[in-house]
Amino acid sequence: MPEHSSRLEKLRFLLRVQEQQLDVTRRWIEDEERREAERAQGEQTRPPQPDWVLELGIGVGSRPVEVHAGRCYAIGRRRKTITREQAVAALGEGVEACTHCRPDTELGIL
């Protein structure tokens, strides 16, 4: 086989490898676009953040643990969304105010 023919075969092989890599890159791009679309859809369908949250105790009938502002990072898993009036009432009944978000200060109860 002449030298230039071998070189041509090598170049065609290189082209096939590069096309395969382009296919892989295109799949990665498609996957990332799908993830971005799913993320955007999740953000659009996410319920709005509550203004006030009551962190519940363990067990049926147990007392609530704390009142939190809805944006608080320290809210436990057992929670209930409440109104401003319910938050004020809970604090007035002796439920603790979260020491991180200070809902008592925000509600004007010191």
Side-chain angles (χ1 to χ4, degrees):
M1 188 180 309
E3 173 65 29
H4 101 287
S5 169
S6 174
R7 179 173 159 77
L8 185 58
E9 286 177 16
K10 290 176 184 176
L11 290 171
R12 286 187 176 137
F13 174 76
L14 175 62
L15 179 62
R16 284 193 308 273
V17 169
Q18 289 173 332
E19 286 172 343
Q20 289 172 352
Q21 289 304 311
L22 281 174
D23 289 341
V24 168
T25 302
R26 285 185 182 106
R27 280 194 305 272
W28 288 347
I29 290 170
E30 288 170 3
D31 290 345
E32 190 59 30
E33 288 172 339
R34 181 182 38 74
R35 279 191 289 273
E36 285 292 323
E38 289 170 356
R39 224 176 275 123
Q41 181 182 7
E43 288 177 14
Q44 290 174 353
T45 58
R46 179 178 298 143
Q49 187 178 63
D51 291 330
W52 307 103
V53 175
L54 187 63
E55 185 174 343
L56 305 172
I58 298 175
V60 177
S62 64
R63 287 189 42 82
V65 178
E66 285 182 320
V67 175
H68 296 270
R71 70 186 183 293
C72 183
Y73 65 89
I75 302 171
R77 290 185 181 161
R78 296 173 315 279
R79 61 180 80 185
K80 177 183 176 185
T81 298
I82 57 175
T83 64
R84 183 182 202 294
E85 293 75 24
Q86 290 170 319
V88 169
L91 291 169
E93 293 168 4
V95 177
E96 295 291 321
C98 173
T99 58
H100 299 279
C101 63
R102 300 307 309 184
D104 50 349
T105 303
E106 196 168 328
L107 289 165
I109 302 170
L110 296 175

